[in-house]
Amino acid sequence: MADADILIMSFKRKVGRSNPCSFSYGFFPSPSHVFRKPEFAIPYVSNSRQRWMHGSEVRAALKYLRGLESNGAQMFWRHKVDGEGKLQHLFWCDGESRFDYKQFGDVLALDTTYGKSDKYLYPVVVFSGVNHHIHTTVFASAIIADETEETFVWLFEQFKVAMEAKSPGLVITSGDAALENAISRVFPNARHRLCSQVILRNASSKVRNPKMTAQLKDLMLSDYEVSEFNSKWDEMVAQFGLEDHSWVRDMYKERKMWATACIRGRCFVGYKASSRCEGFYNKFGTLARSCHNLVDFLQHFHHCFDEFRFKELEADFQSGHGEEVLLTLFKPLERSASRVFTREAFRLFRTVLERAYTIIVDFDCKQLSTQSIYKVREYGQPRSEWRVSFSQPTLQFRCSCFGMETVGIPCAHIVKLMIFLDMVEMPISLVRKRWTKSAKEIVEGTFEEGDGTCISLEDDDEDDIGPSLEDDNEVNFSNFRRRILVISDSDESDVNDGPPYKRRAHG
């Protein structure tokens, strides 16, 4: 029996609870590595003598984390206690999560809207991102006693130490003021985006008009030029009489943190919400009600976490074995992409390939010293025009829609030009490392500290406001209509019926 188990049993005896009630209920790997549920459950036991901050319970939790480290998990954890020796904050992550952050830490989502259990409503903070299968991956976790700015500063500093000082390129949060201030102090170079789900939820509660919420969602996610966005915003405000509404005015001031029209070219890999871990909490939430102590909580948390990692292994196997069925008319290009991208990323690319049917390329192109500029438009929309540059020596593509830079998948305009040029292989310049089957086959230590940009097969030369298609100031595409492709927030692998557990909306 582990030292942590002995210590927690001793603690339970002191508070008057029998040890037979201490069986854990969660997802355990069987010898065949197939996750299953055990055939027993914990009866709920309430005891007023039990305390969340009890010293014996904290020592048992730390011993549990040390036990994981002794089993090769390469654990990193930090905790903080108050003047009376009671636990205030606990931060932890393991070696695999830290390695995932090296590969996929370009975008970081922070979710603090969940409580620990029915009795212990301390916020659980989850640092998450998107892996090469477009699945949610958890980088680190924490339990905190409060949600003040100083608490978040301490938390982010521990995260920075654990991740060897690598800062994220983009951080998505719920918009809490203390959280925003802490991010600006610890990650000053990180761009900040507000969670789309929180914005829409706040719109429903503060304005209480479903039609206005629907129009706000359209303004948030649709493809508009900045001038067109401003015009539609003014129309919405006038239509619903919101000129003096303080929340609406504040949202307009922060439009560069949530409106698609104002954040193009920023690499957020289609991540628009901080709560992609819904499926994780759907599984974990029902089990957390049975937690009698901190060790139970950590065990349940890691059992659910292990199941999600097992799904990643399954996705790795599926991507590495078998051939995809080719469905489009551009089979050579489709086959080339299927051999490079993971299965989920390839299917996303295939939707782009299918959309390329509706794109028309102008035969006249502008020739510059090192590149050619093509005009493309969508069928039936002669006023919608984009420009795509192509450099023959380097096989580099750039589009005025900035879809490649924003999501990491070539946009339909670039794909159409590739077809127009009779290309049958995916050029390496259009393949982001993070979406490939070999995304995690990187030698440890090859990343640069503080580099929060997307990992790619080539050396990207992107500035803070996205790529430019200018050559010696001859061409400027800033006034052209831009469109981007957006990955759906829903993570099919994370979907589970039932409401998330203990979700608390920030206001």
Side-chain angles (χ1 to χ4, degrees):
M1 183 178 294
D3 292 340
D5 294 330
I6 297 175
L7 190 58
I8 202 62
M9 288 174 64
S10 176
F11 163 67
K12 291 174 183 178
R13 186 179 299 108
K14 291 179 181 179
V15 299
R17 199 177 83 221
S18 60
N19 288 322
C21 296
S22 63
F23 295 108
S24 295
Y25 175 55
F27 294 89
F28 293 86
S30 65
S32 61
H33 301 287
V34 177
F35 283 83
R36 58 181 175 82
K37 293 182 180 179
E39 297 179 354
F40 54 87
I42 305 179
Y44 184 83
V45 178
S46 177
N47 192 309
S48 60
R49 296 170 58 190
Q50 185 178 355
R51 292 293 182 268
W52 145 252
M53 295 288 189
H54 196 282
S56 298
E57 185 177 357
V58 174
R59 288 194 295 271
L62 297 181
K63 282 194 174 184
Y64 171 77
L65 295 177
R66 293 190 187 98
L68 294 178
E69 182 178 24
S70 63
N71 292 331
Q74 299 180 341
M75 295 296 299
F76 177 96
W77 74 90
R78 293 289 187 272
H79 69 284
K80 184 177 182 180
V81 297
D82 61 11
E84 299 179 359
K86 295 180 180 179
L87 180 68
Q88 291 292 295
H89 317 307
L90 176 63
F91 170 88
W92 75 94
C93 61
D94 60 17
E96 187 172 350
S97 294
R98 297 165 72 187
F99 181 78
D100 286 344
Y101 182 75
K102 291 181 181 181
Q103 275 49 262
F104 311 118
D106 41 10
V107 178
L108 176 66
L110 295 174
D111 198 352
T112 62
T113 56
Y114 294 90
K116 173 180 175 287
S117 70
D118 285 342
K119 294 190 300 179
Y120 308 128
L121 298 180
Y122 285 73
V124 178
V125 183
V126 176
F127 298 77
S128 64
V130 180
N131 65 10
H132 52 317
H133 298 293
I134 320 182
H135 295 172
T136 297
T137 182
V138 177
F139 301 134
S141 311
I143 302 173
I144 54 178
D146 54 59
E147 297 178 82
T148 63
E149 181 177 336
E150 293 305 319
T151 293
F152 287 126
V153 168
W154 178 88
L155 190 61
F156 296 154
E157 287 176 347
Q158 309 316 310
F159 181 83
K160 197 171 183 179
V161 172
M163 304 306 171
E164 302 179 14
K166 179 182 177 180
S167 299
L170 181 77
V171 181
I172 303 176
T173 72
S174 60
D176 181 78
L179 199 56
E180 293 182 25
N181 294 336
I183 291 173
S184 62
R185 289 172 59 180
V186 183
F187 303 125
N189 297 324
R191 305 181 185 103
H192 191 187
R193 179 168 184 171
L194 299 180
C195 173
S196 59
Q197 294 180 358
V198 173
I199 292 176
L200 295 177
R201 188 161 53 244
N202 289 340
S204 299
S205 62
K206 295 180 181 299
V207 181
R208 299 180 184 276
N209 190 320
K211 293 183 179 179
M212 180 272 177
T213 302
Q215 290 193 25
L216 178 63
K217 182 177 181 180
D218 177 71
L219 287 171
M220 181 191 307
L221 304 178
S222 294
D223 175 31
Y224 295 121
E225 282 292 337
V226 174
S227 58
E228 188 176 6
F229 169 85
N230 292 333
S231 176
K232 287 184 175 294
W233 179 273
D234 292 338
E235 292 177 4
M236 180 189 71
V237 171
Q239 178 182 351
F240 297 102
L242 302 174
E243 292 85 355
D244 298 327
H245 199 290
S246 60
W247 181 83
V248 174
R249 290 200 305 267
D250 292 341
M251 289 306 302
Y252 183 74
K253 292 178 182 178
E254 298 177 343
R255 62 190 180 277
K256 293 184 179 180
M257 299 173 64
W258 57 267
T260 297
C262 303
I263 59 176
R264 287 190 190 87
R266 308 292 176 85
C267 181
F268 62 90
V269 297
Y271 218 148
K272 302 188 294 295
S274 62
S275 56
R276 282 182 58 105
C277 287
E278 294 284 358
F280 179 85
Y281 281 104
N282 285 337
K283 291 181 178 294
F284 170 73
T286 56
L287 305 178
R289 295 186 179 92
S290 303
C291 293
H292 303 295
N293 53 67
L294 185 55
V295 175
D296 283 347
F297 169 80
L298 293 175
Q299 288 175 341
H300 290 321
F301 190 93
H302 284 98
H303 291 156
C304 294
F305 195 21
D306 286 342
E307 186 189 10
F308 274 64
R309 284 183 171 170
F310 180 73
K311 289 184 177 180
E312 180 180 332
L313 293 177
E314 288 182 322
D316 285 336
F317 179 83
Q318 293 172 357
S319 293
H321 295 79
E323 294 287 340
E324 283 285 344
V325 177
L326 305 181
L327 302 178
T328 70
L329 297 178
F330 314 115
K331 287 181 170 52
L333 187 58
E334 186 180 3
R335 183 181 296 108
S336 174
S338 69
R339 293 173 177 173
V340 176
F341 293 120
T342 62
R343 178 166 296 186
E344 291 78 5
F346 164 72
R347 290 175 178 173
L348 178 65
F349 172 81
R350 185 160 58 192
T351 62
V352 176
L353 192 59
E354 292 170 346
R355 186 188 167 198
Y357 288 119
T358 65
I359 305 297
I360 298 175
V361 180
D362 193 335
F363 284 92
D364 295 329
C365 67
K366 184 176 182 179
Q367 297 290 338
L368 300 179
S369 57
T370 60
Q371 60 185 357
S372 302
I373 307 295
Y374 294 84
K375 294 181 181 180
V376 300
R377 64 179 178 84
E378 192 164 351
Y379 172 77
Q381 300 184 20
R383 295 184 179 180
S384 298
E385 187 177 80
W386 302 266
R387 292 195 176 186
V388 182
S389 71
F390 171 64
S391 176
Q392 178 65 40
T394 60
L395 297 181
Q396 293 279 345
F397 290 83
R398 292 293 174 94
C399 181
S400 58
C401 78
F402 298 99
M404 177 67 190
E405 290 74 20
T406 304
V407 181
I409 298 291
C411 63
H413 317 119
I414 290 178
V415 172
K416 182 63 177 184
L417 183 57
M418 292 170 59
I419 297 171
F420 179 79
L421 298 174
D422 200 25
M423 300 180 67
V424 296
E425 295 286 339
M426 285 290 298
I428 197 172
S429 61
L430 297 179
V431 179
R432 288 292 177 103
K433 183 73 175 180
R434 66 156 10 263
W435 299 128
T436 64
K437 299 177 183 180
S438 59
K440 301 184 76 169
E441 297 177 6
I442 301 177
V443 179
E444 186 175 359
T446 57
F447 71 96
E448 296 181 2
E449 292 185 356
D451 181 13
T453 59
C454 286
I455 300 172
S456 62
L457 292 177
E458 77 286 1
D459 293 331
D460 290 335
D461 187 18
E462 300 173 1
D463 55 25
D464 288 340
I465 59 174
S468 173
L469 297 181
E470 300 180 16
D471 186 8
D472 298 330
N473 297 322
E474 294 184 55
V475 182
N476 190 334
F477 296 133
S478 61
N479 295 325
F480 283 89
R481 178 173 175 78
R482 304 167 180 171
R483 291 189 177 183
I484 66 170
L485 300 173
V486 180
I487 301 175
S488 172
D489 281 333
S490 61
D491 186 345
E492 294 182 359
S493 67
D494 289 351
V495 173
N496 194 1
D497 294 334
Y501 176 63
K502 283 291 179 186
R503 185 154 187 84
R504 302 178 290 119
H506 289 287

